[in-house]
Amino acid sequence: WAAYLEIRRRNSPLLLVPSECAPGGIYMSDMSAWWMVGPYAVMGLAEVYINPTLYYLSYSQTPLRLRSIAQAMCLLMGAVSSGLFTLLTHVMGSANNLNHAHL
């Protein structure tokens, strides 16, 4: 699905109106933003199914005195993974124009 969307985005024509969000001289593609509803919905559903299961498993398999620490570790791992993703994105650099980037 992601590959299809990327191919469709790259093949869509550019609008004659420059983007108001990107740096100057970058033009938007003619692809509708509604195409992103599907991928975000799938990610949202995945989090809805995974997180409660992970919390239940960690809570039920942990000794009584360590349950709050187990829950804190679940939240910490989520925060660390998000922070590492942000750091990795910054270190690798992101292109201002996605049509010139190698995603």
Side-chain angles (χ1 to χ4, degrees):
W1 191 358
Y4 171 74
L5 285 178
E6 180 63 14
I7 291 169
R8 184 173 167 89
R9 185 192 64 78
R10 282 187 179 247
N11 291 333
S12 65
L14 295 178
L15 296 173
L16 298 176
V17 179
S19 174
E20 294 180 12
C21 302
I26 305 297
Y27 292 92
M28 297 182 294
S29 66
D30 194 25
M31 188 173 174
S32 173
W34 285 103
W35 280 94
M36 292 308 298
V37 169
Y40 278 103
V42 169
M43 288 298 297
L45 282 173
E47 286 193 24
V48 164
Y49 284 116
I50 294 297
N51 285 338
T53 305
L54 179 63
Y55 292 154
Y56 172 76
L57 182 65
S58 68
Y59 192 78
S60 65
Q61 300 297 317
T62 306
L64 185 61
R65 300 187 81 198
L66 297 174
R67 286 185 176 172
S68 60
I69 292 176
Q71 295 289 42
M73 290 303 293
C74 284
L75 293 173
L76 179 68
M77 289 300 123
V80 167
S81 65
S82 179
L84 285 175
F85 177 76
T86 303
L87 180 68
L88 186 62
T89 304
H90 180 71
V91 167
M92 293 184 70
S94 61
N96 292 331
N97 188 347
L98 289 179
N99 291 324
H100 300 299
H102 298 285
L103 303 175

